[in-house]
Amino acid sequence: MAEKDDAGDPEFDLTFQPAYGQAVPVAEGVERLTVNNPSPFTFHGTNSYIVGGSSVAVIDPGPEDEAHFQALMAALKGREVTHIFVSHTHRDHSPLTRRLKTETGALTVAEGPHRAARPLFAGEVNPFAESADSDFVPDIAIGDGETIAGDGWSLSAIHTPGHTANHSAFALDGSGLLFSADHVMAWATTIVAPPDGSMADFMASVEKLLARDDRMFLPGHGGPVREPASFLRGLRAHRRMRERAVLERVRGGDRVIPDMVRAIYTRTDPRLHGAAALSVLAHLEDLVEKGQVTSDGPPSLAGTFFPA
């Protein structure tokens, strides 16, 4: 799930071809199937990945979608599915896990059930509550850095909270490939929407991935990130630029989030202004925590903000 804007963007790649219903080889022992669920938040759709040969793991089965389920089952025909990895519990990534588990008997693997990055404040409504797959509970709650191996493959969990509190990327050991899900995508920056998401957590996860030496990211939407280190540096610069823009609006007299969104997101699709407001709130939460901004109570979409 992503936001698309124009503030110091990294070098985005929009050339992705979804090839709905087809298992597309993307690396040795890795195939991608894309769900036909395009939207301003999902680009051309959600990517599911099959890892392995005769015995495989599936990463992010996707939403409850009959055509995609049939495409997955066709691609998996004659192969054993031992594990289903779930990067995070948004409804465009995890719901089909239940049906695939029933069909294959595979074990499900994830950081944990859905949860918010922080508790709701009094009177606060979670704007993305309906996007959460709150029914999903993994068979295996995989810890940060823990590894699960199959026949010819080994996947290690890299906890990357920020987009959601339970977000994980998965490294295909020995390949230089990282399944980055919604944390890093080639086509846009990811949405960080409180209370599900946290900007401080997101930035810490960016630094965590920068400390690695992966050669390519395979994300949850769109095509691969082929130069992860430079893309991550651009993503970090973009977020820092956005933080400065929010801080400058507050110091310049803007007191409420809608005014900041109108001033900052001048060329953004108006359909994404709601998501942009949540991104601004995420930055404001972080700025309040850093002591650079104050608010009339806990930071919220309806709050009033002042320079510290």
Side-chain angles (χ1 to χ4, degrees), residues 70-111:
Q70 295 301 331
L72 270 175
M73 294 310 299
L76 293 167
K77 186 176 181 179
R79 297 196 272 184
E80 178 190 22
V81 183
T82 61
H83 296 82
I84 303 168
F85 289 76
V86 173
S87 66
H88 66 293
T89 43
H90 278 156
R91 290 192 177 275
D92 57 327
H93 287 262
S94 58
L96 199 60
T97 300
R98 287 180 279 279
R99 193 170 172 191
L100 188 61
K101 173 182 168 64
T102 299
E103 191 73 23
T104 64
L107 294 171
T108 59
V109 183
E111 188 270 355

Side-chain angles (χ1 to χ4, degrees), residues 105-121:
L107 294 171
T108 59
V109 183
E111 188 270 355
H114 193 84
R115 65 185 186 280
R118 60 160 174 77
L120 284 171
F121 300 128

